[in-house]
Amino acid sequence: MSLWESILAALDSLRANLFRTALTMLGISIGVAAVIVLIAMGEGTKSYISNEFYSLGTNLIIVQPGRTETKSPLGPPPGAANRDLTIQDVRALERHGTLLSAVSPLMMGSATISIAGRQRDVMVLGTDDSLPSILSIGMANGRFYSENDSFAGRRVCTIGWVVKEELFGDANPIGSIVRVARSEFRVIGVMEKKGTSLGMDFDDIIFMPVRAYQKLFDQSALFGIRAKARSQEDLDAAVDQSRKILTRMHHGEEDFTMVDQEAMLSTMGSILDTLSYILAGIAAISLVVGGIGIMNILLVSVTERTREVGLRMAVGARRRDILKQFVTESVVLGFLGGALGIAAGLAGNAALGMLSDKFQPAVSAGTVAFAAGFSIVLGLLFGVYPAWRAAALDPILALRRE
Amino acid sequence: MIWRAHAAPPRASDASATSAAIAAPSIVLELVSKIYASGGGAGGESIEVAALRDVSLRIERGEFVAIIGASGSGKSTLLNILGCLDRPTRGRYLLDGDEVSGLTEGQLARIRNERMGFVFQAFNLLPRQTALDNAALPLIYSGVGRRERRRRAGEVLAQLQLADRVHHRPNQLSGGQIQRVAIARALIQRPNVLLADEPTGNLDSRTGREILEIFRAMNRDLGVTVIVVTHDPALVQSIPRIVRLSDGAVVEDTTRGAAAPPGEALP
């Protein structure tokens, strides 16, 4: 009997107990669907996070004060630094960092901003004119402060979209004087809408020249430095170069931490991979349960069809023909269950994808092929024992069975 | 009943002893015993139960034999051994001159498939398959393609007056029709030997006579050796050779008339 014929025969006998077949298949289907959805969610989360990262610019290099021995993607705990990063460090990187296309200091704090009796607590970023290009943020209105403004520490600021809406409504804020903490600043631009990235609302923020920030908060140590490598190929070399420059600035001591975007991403990625494999592993347990379901139903089927087995042997079936017959049924059962599960899993992914435009579950063709293959293997594994039981029947006793 | 002109040829080709096979008797049993170890003793010790004791039997090609005896006398065991479904514990079984007692399971399956036809009291058709597929079943195991299987099954069913029933399932057929489908299945490989275990046991007497008639025609026209285990007195009456078993041994072996070649029990 050809393979195709065996499959047709298996389908035929599976059809004999349609409801039972469907229930058995369901066990496999649920497992396969769960594995596919969970893997897709893992992949989706990964690409969501990397999109979030890249939305803050590409080829980013992050310098934080303080040294970390462990490779935490988030840098050292704040306040653990023994030597601060300074504006001089930024200038040194600008001057000698030939592989960098931009360098910016970064200071962060919060202050109350008010105008004409309206006020709002916002996050204040002290930085210089190159940060917008590093973080890929554009202007909605007006301009960002210039190098000159930065250098002179002029009391000018650009405000995020939410700040503008809250304080000015529909009025044009350009040229207005706002009070930030104890000082007055002139608004010279409104940042374009950026939304939330990695938990930080870039629209509810004001930017001011770093020297103005230092004066306002009476603080000189930088929160960190952000730099951008010329290209992705140069990223590793740029990190090395920057590290050398800063180490020299710090008298030979590497008391800062430097992380590049790719390294952060790959750290995050491997954490997420581990997580999604754990989840898929848990889902795979339900696949094994489904396989046991196949075995169970096949054992019942063998018992019910004992006479059929005896008869087939009497008319010339060898033991391996019987073995093949039942294993084929099991494999077909596994495959159908798997196919159904794949369909359900893909449908589930599509449904999840509709819930959000930022988060899209993604599953590769390889994963789908693996799921299909796995369900076939499952059918094979769990079909062998019942099939062996059938093949081991004594034809005489089998024929006598009522 | 019209049978194929080319009655089943002796299958000399697959006998290892070709020259001997031509003239050799179809079946020779020499001192065959079948002993079961049954663990039914009160103290848990196993008891040996002999289903057959030193049975010697010669059946020539083309004979028509009835095996009779009380239940438990070993009729079915004998039939199973003759049909290569079971192996003797002791003794020799020569089929067309070949020793079969030492063959592997796979070789026995092949003999059952090609040289034996079985007809059962309970018919044993596959309930979900049509008459055509039921009759064609043995061909699956000799590697015949589906189309050819159906063609040949259709031919045999037509010879058994079932041409208009080929696409019916067993539950759409009468008892006599079902048994004829089962006979078609037994005949499809043109076996040398047809073995029937109480073939009329589940049929009314008129249908039983019909089935007997078919056996007779096969025996006469195709030269098939027919061996029937039966209780049915009507059947016994019309079968030329009677082998009676009692307690696992042959106690009577008589041949009547001259219709069939004379068979004789070994001394």
Side-chain angles (χ1 to χ4, degrees):
Chain A
M1 190 147 63
S2 70
L3 182 64
W4 179 237
E5 264 197 78
S6 309
I7 291 170
L8 287 181
L11 283 173
D12 197 57
S13 66
L14 290 174
R15 216 169 34 220
N17 277 298
L18 207 51
F19 189 59
R20 198 161 86 181
T21 302
L23 283 179
T24 310
M25 268 164 50
L26 199 61
I28 297 290
S29 301
I30 289 173
V32 168
V35 168
I36 284 190
V37 167
L38 286 170
I39 288 180
M41 283 178 68
E43 287 298 314
T45 308
K46 240 167 84 177
S47 67
Y48 167 74
I49 286 183
S50 84
N51 284 341
E52 290 279 283
F53 266 110
Y54 286 123
S55 74
L56 292 180
T58 50
N59 308 327
L60 205 58
I61 299 170
I62 294 161
V63 188
Q64 303 288 99
R67 181 180 193 148
T68 41
E69 297 299 338
T70 53
K71 287 200 169 169
S72 157
L74 303 175
N82 42 13
R83 182 180 284 139
D84 299 332
L85 291 170
T86 61
I87 297 285
Q88 282 67 43
D89 293 328
V90 176
R91 297 295 165 249
L93 287 174
E94 276 173 346
R95 209 168 305 130
H96 305 295
T98 50
L99 296 172
L100 303 174
S101 64
V103 185
S104 269
L106 193 65
M107 301 187 79
M108 265 198 252
S110 63
T112 304
I113 173 170
S114 59
I115 182 170
R118 294 190 181 197
Q119 63 174 47
R120 183 170 179 82
D121 289 324
V122 294
M123 178 172 256
V124 181
L125 281 192
T127 183
D128 66 16
D129 55 291
S130 51
L131 194 73
S133 80
I134 294 174
L135 297 187
S136 319
I137 313 175
M139 304 302 297
N141 209 346
R143 63 175 181 91
F144 204 74
Y145 42 86
S146 65
E147 195 179 344
N148 206 3
D149 294 331
S150 303
F151 194 72
R154 288 204 180 96
R155 290 210 301 269
V156 291
C157 67
T158 62
I159 60 178
W161 186 261
V162 171
V163 180
K164 180 247 163 196
E165 290 286 300
E166 291 295 324
L167 293 184
F168 297 95
D170 291 335
N172 182 3
I174 308 294
S176 312
I177 304 293
V178 292
R179 177 166 281 276
V180 181
R182 303 172 310 277
S183 298
E184 285 182 335
F185 280 73
R186 190 153 53 86
V187 177
I188 58 168
V190 179
M191 311 303 294
E192 74 178 7
K193 244 185 181 153
K194 177 98 174 164
T196 305
S197 241
L198 293 175
M200 183 163 160
D201 188 352
F202 276 81
D203 295 335
D204 200 2
I205 218 167
I206 71 171
F207 294 85
M208 62 176 62
V210 66
R211 285 185 194 283
Y213 181 100
Q214 287 176 325
K215 256 183 242 162
L216 183 67
F217 288 89
D218 191 21
Q219 202 182 332
S220 63
L222 300 182
F223 174 80
I225 299 172
R226 298 291 179 269
K228 188 179 171 80
R230 279 175 194 282
S231 67
Q232 177 142 26
E233 295 79 65
D234 288 337
L235 190 57
D236 286 343
V239 168
D240 284 344
Q241 188 187 48
S242 307
R243 180 175 289 127
K244 280 189 191 122
I245 294 167
L246 287 183
T247 306
R248 201 162 55 229
M249 288 295 290
H250 290 209
H251 309 292
E253 219 178 310
E254 195 183 323
D255 52 4
F256 53 87
T257 303
M258 198 169 270
V259 196
D260 68 82
Q261 201 175 15
E262 298 302 318
M264 285 173 76
L265 265 178
S266 75
T267 308
M268 288 290 210
S270 61
I271 292 171
L272 285 167
D273 277 346
T274 310
L275 262 175
S276 58
Y277 289 142
I278 289 171
L279 285 174
I282 292 169
I285 291 173
S286 73
L287 265 177
V288 172
V289 174
I292 293 170
I294 289 190
M295 181 147 95
N296 192 14
I297 229 58
L298 239 76
L299 283 171
V300 171
S301 173
V302 168
T303 308
E304 282 176 354
R305 288 154 70 190
T306 299
R307 272 165 77 99
E308 176 188 329
V309 170
L311 172 75
R312 286 179 184 272
M313 285 176 166
V315 302
R318 291 156 302 176
R319 297 202 181 281
R320 70 176 129 117
D321 293 318
I322 302 296
L323 194 74
K324 195 171 118 189
Q325 180 189 348
F326 282 95
V327 168
T328 306
E329 272 183 38
S330 175
V331 167
V332 167
L333 202 57
F335 175 76
L336 288 179
L340 205 73
I342 287 169
L346 293 180
N349 287 348
L352 280 173
M354 275 189 273
L355 295 179
S356 152
D357 13 304
K358 272 194 165 179
F359 176 73
Q360 288 296 325
V363 68
S364 68
T367 306
V368 171
F370 178 77
F374 193 74
S375 51
I376 288 174
V377 169
L378 214 63
L380 193 70
L381 277 180
F382 286 98
V384 165
Y385 175 68
W388 174 80
R389 285 263 297 247
L393 285 170
D394 177 348
I396 297 163
L397 295 179
L399 276 167
R400 219 175 277 159
R401 183 81 141 260
E402 284 311 311
Chain B
M1 199 167 295
I2 300 140
W3 293 97
R4 271 186 297 256
H6 54 282
R11 290 183 188 261
S13 56
D14 50 20
S16 51
T18 305
S19 54
I22 305 296
S26 170
I27 286 168
V28 176
L29 294 186
E30 288 174 5
L31 297 170
V32 163
S33 296
K34 182 72 190 180
I35 292 156
Y36 295 103
S38 112
E45 75 277 21
S46 76
I47 307 170
E48 291 197 337
V49 178
L52 288 180
R53 305 163 196 269
D54 297 333
V55 170
S56 294
L57 197 61
R58 246 175 116 92
I59 299 173
E60 308 292 335
R61 184 185 299 281
E63 271 199 88
F64 196 157
V65 183
I67 299 174
I68 60 172
S71 61
S73 59
K75 304 186 298 284
S76 294
T77 305
L78 179 57
L79 198 73
N80 288 335
I81 286 177
L82 290 174
C84 296
L85 268 172
D86 203 354
R87 280 187 280 207
T89 314
R90 280 200 307 266
R92 295 206 322 149
Y93 174 12
L94 296 161
L95 176 64
D96 297 330
D98 300 333
E99 168 77 58
V100 295
S101 354
L103 297 183
T104 63
E105 300 235 25
Q107 290 167 318
L108 290 178
R110 178 139 181 217
I111 288 177
R112 292 199 294 272
N113 182 249
E114 293 177 348
R115 301 199 229 172
M116 301 286 169
F118 287 92
V119 177
F120 306 94
Q121 177 175 10
F123 319 127
N124 284 332
L125 295 193
L126 300 180
R128 288 178 38 78
Q129 300 200 351
T130 59
L132 201 61
D133 286 334
N134 264 298
L137 190 66
L139 296 178
I140 288 179
Y141 300 110
S142 52
V144 179
R146 200 221 253 299
R147 190 188 271 270
E148 172 68 6
R149 288 205 301 267
R150 292 197 161 160
R151 190 189 64 72
R152 280 165 63 178
E155 258 179 40
V156 177
L157 286 170
Q159 283 163 353
L160 290 163
Q161 321 294 315
L162 287 166
D164 56 341
R165 292 285 184 274
V166 291
H167 297 302
H168 288 56
R169 288 171 206 272
N171 61 5
Q172 299 165 310
L173 298 171
S174 71
Q177 287 168 335
I178 290 174
Q179 195 58 303
R180 275 187 279 152
V181 174
I183 293 171
R185 180 179 65 197
L187 286 180
I188 194 146
Q189 288 277 51
R190 300 182 204 166
N192 299 350
V193 183
L194 190 113
L195 300 145
D197 195 353
E198 303 276 8
T200 58
N202 286 1
L203 301 173
D204 61 56
S205 55
R206 199 178 64 84
T207 317
R209 278 198 300 279
E210 249 175 64
I211 297 300
L212 175 68
E213 233 5 87
I214 293 170
F215 284 166
R216 235 188 226 142
M218 278 161 33
N219 176 249
R220 186 182 60 230
D221 303 340
L222 295 177
V224 176
T225 309
V226 180
I227 303 170
V228 181
V229 163
T230 186
H231 276 117
D232 186 348
L235 214 58
V236 174
Q237 244 175 25
S238 48
I239 293 175
R241 181 176 170 192
I242 309 288
V243 173
R244 183 188 299 275
L245 290 183
S246 177
D247 214 8
V250 176
V251 292
E252 180 194 338
D253 188 349
T254 46
T255 307
R256 288 173 302 207
E264 46 187 330
L266 290 172

